[in-house]
Amino acid sequence: MRVIGGVGVVELQIDSGYLADIGPRLGAAFLERDLLLRPLGNIVYFMPPYAITEIQTEWALEQIRYVLARL
């Protein structure tokens, strides 16, 4: 996990890297929870808008934790 400016990144420990097939499955799981993220292979990027509130940020992070815990 790392943060650079307004971008948070979770890199999953999957051997296939950027071409991992888990990306589309994660994207679908996030959408089911009303969170629009576009995982790229084994990397999940979270780039919230500058106007996001603390409550909205915590909600989004909860959704990410929920999905990742069920891999």
Side-chain angles (χ1 to χ4, degrees):
M1 196 165 159
R2 58 191 180 269
V3 176
I4 299 174
V7 180
V9 177
V10 176
E11 186 171 353
L12 306 176
Q13 297 298 316
I14 297 174
D15 292 335
S16 300
Y18 183 78
L19 299 176
D21 66 345
I22 196 159
R25 294 188 328 218
L26 285 172
F30 291 133
L31 273 179
E32 287 176 11
R33 302 199 59 80
D34 294 327
L35 181 62
L36 181 58
L37 292 181
R38 184 174 170 245
L40 298 173
N42 66 331
I43 300 176
V44 177
Y45 293 91
F46 179 55
M47 298 180 288
Y50 289 118
I52 195 168
T53 67
E54 193 171 326
I55 292 171
Q56 292 168 326
T57 301
E58 186 55 39
W59 175 85
L61 293 174
E62 284 176 21
Q63 305 316 304
I64 293 169
R65 282 191 288 272
Y66 178 89
V67 169
L68 294 179
R70 281 147 184 81
L71 286 179

